[in-house]
Amino acid sequence: GLEGDKGLEGDKGLEGDKGLEGDKGWKGEPPQERDWGQNEVHLYNKPLDLYDSKCGVHNQLQDLQGTDSFWKETSSEKWGLGQNEVYLYSKCLDLYDSECRAYDQLQDLQGNDIPRLITKVRLPLASPPSIGTLLPAEYGEVKGILLEFIDGFTLGEITEKAPEEAWQNICDQAIRVVHSCNDREILNEDVRPSNVMVTTWSQSHAENEYRIVILDFAQCRIREPEESDEEWGRAKWVQDEEGAIGQVMKSRLKKVGFDLVFNPSLRFLEWAPGEDD
């Protein structure tokens, strides 16, 4: 968001929305003129009747689709333009909220293992003239987060950007950062090498030349207060965040003749599904 996967990059869009990737982000250009039909006006107006804190759009979506899949048809009648846009808007809000909660939960890691959150932003956009007075102001905003710029390369690019003697250490650090997030009861469903940045420290760090930074927490969730150790451990085992780095990088580096040492922690092994599950 204002992040992309590498920080403040104009071609990557507002990271807070993440669901708006289809247009590669907001470039500061005004939206094109379009003809808003009566059906679309009605659809955007109806959430006002259901508006309850932030839940109006979500209630409306239940009437529209009855499924959590954007592409799954619920009847022979295709969705209208307004239905698609309201659904997309809701998903963007969900991703933005998830990212904000994750940065709050990981506040002590900011500026080290994850980017520093500078501020949360709202960009007001011009509303279509036929709708502008019908909705609360927040429906005319694009939400995002402004993050520390990370100038470097992704973990998946280490064979091109880092010397071979540094590969093991870089991967070890990436796994350590995943464990740091684990310690703060975050489950990240989007851990992958392209969401890990490798950069150098701005100040001297004798123990490590490289700084490893994990990005993109839009598909995270925080452990619920009522979630048992078994439920949480099972979810963490199935997701296997450390394997999404360690095992994937081991496989990739093997293709170029490098034997990465990766020893899974098996931290959540006791909650692994058994034969009866």
Side-chain angles (χ1 to χ4, degrees), residues 41-107:
V41 173
H42 174 71
L43 178 67
Y44 276 84
N45 186 28
K46 191 172 181 181
L48 277 176
D49 301 329
L50 303 170
Y51 187 74
D52 176 17
S53 67
K54 72 164 191 167
C55 297
V57 169
H58 297 280
N59 292 339
Q60 173 68 10
L61 286 173
Q62 293 300 314
D63 295 337
L64 293 173
Q65 42 126 359
T67 176
D68 60 0
S69 173
F70 178 48
W71 301 110
K72 183 177 180 180
E73 299 286 350
T74 57
S75 70
S76 58
E77 182 180 355
K78 293 184 177 181
W79 283 5
L81 177 63
Q83 292 169 307
N84 288 340
E85 292 191 1
V86 170
Y87 181 85
L88 179 59
Y89 174 81
S90 175
K91 295 303 292 183
C92 290
L93 281 183
D94 290 343
L95 295 169
Y96 168 77
D97 289 342
S98 295
E99 187 119 32
C100 289
R101 285 193 296 269
Y103 271 96
D104 290 341
Q105 184 81 357
L106 302 174
Q107 189 170 9

Side-chain angles (χ1 to χ4, degrees), residues 14-166:
L14 283 167
E15 166 57 8
D17 61 58
K18 198 61 183 175
L20 290 176
E21 281 194 343
D23 61 3
K24 297 302 180 185
W26 184 78
K27 301 177 184 296
E29 301 170 357
Q32 294 182 352
E33 292 294 327
R34 55 178 290 183
D35 179 22
W36 292 80
Q38 184 60 39
N39 289 339
E40 280 71 42
V41 173
H42 174 71
L43 178 67
Y44 276 84
N45 186 28
K46 191 172 181 181
L48 277 176
D49 301 329
L50 303 170
Y51 187 74
D52 176 17
S53 67
K54 72 164 191 167
C55 297
V57 169
H58 297 280
N59 292 339
Q60 173 68 10
L61 286 173
Q62 293 300 314
D63 295 337
L64 293 173
Q65 42 126 359
T67 176
D68 60 0
S69 173
F70 178 48
W71 301 110
K72 183 177 180 180
E73 299 286 350
T74 57
S75 70
S76 58
E77 182 180 355
K78 293 184 177 181
W79 283 5
L81 177 63
Q83 292 169 307
N84 288 340
E85 292 191 1
V86 170
Y87 181 85
L88 179 59
Y89 174 81
S90 175
K91 295 303 292 183
C92 290
L93 281 183
D94 290 343
L95 295 169
Y96 168 77
D97 289 342
S98 295
E99 187 119 32
C100 289
R101 285 193 296 269
Y103 271 96
D104 290 341
Q105 184 81 357
L106 302 174
Q107 189 170 9
D108 63 316
L109 299 183
Q110 292 184 28
N112 290 298
D113 295 339
I114 69 173
R116 180 170 60 90
L117 174 62
I118 298 172
T119 189
K120 300 168 187 177
V121 300
R122 295 184 177 187
L123 299 178
L125 301 178
S127 299
S130 57
I131 299 177
T133 61
L134 300 179
L135 294 175
E138 68 178 88
Y139 285 94
E141 296 175 335
V142 173
K143 297 180 176 68
I145 56 175
L146 184 65
L147 299 175
E148 168 195 6
F149 175 68
I150 306 299
D151 186 13
F153 53 91
T154 69
L155 182 61
E157 298 174 306
I158 61 171
T159 57
E160 305 165 17
K161 304 292 181 65
E164 183 174 334
E165 58 267 23

Side-chain angles (χ1 to χ4, degrees), residues 255-276:
K255 295 177 181 179
V256 295
F258 184 84
D259 186 17
L260 180 73
V261 177
F262 168 59
N263 297 310
S265 67
L266 304 180
R267 178 175 178 177
F268 301 100
L269 175 61
E270 64 178 303
W271 310 119
E275 293 182 359
D276 296 332

Side-chain angles (χ1 to χ4, degrees), residues 1 3-6 12 15 18-19 21 24 95 99 113 153-158 170-171 173-175 177-178 181 187-198 212-220 239-250 252:
E3 178 208 345
D5 16 278
K6 298 187 178 179
K12 292 295 185 179
E15 166 57 8
K18 198 61 183 175
E21 281 194 343
K24 297 302 180 185
L95 295 169
E99 187 119 32
D113 295 339
F153 53 91
T154 69
L155 182 61
E157 298 174 306
I158 61 171
I170 289 173
C171 291
Q173 285 194 71
I175 294 168
V177 174
V178 170
C181 295
L187 189 149
N188 188 346
E189 298 179 355
D190 198 23
V191 175
R192 47 194 168 95
S194 60
N195 280 340
V196 178
M197 291 295 297
V198 182
I212 309 303
V213 183
I214 287 188
L215 306 171
D216 197 346
F217 297 97
Q219 296 184 57
C220 280
Q239 192 61 47
D240 190 17
E241 292 141 295
E242 69 172 7
I245 298 298
Q247 196 58 52
V248 169
M249 289 307 299
K250 183 178 180 68
R252 290 188 183 183

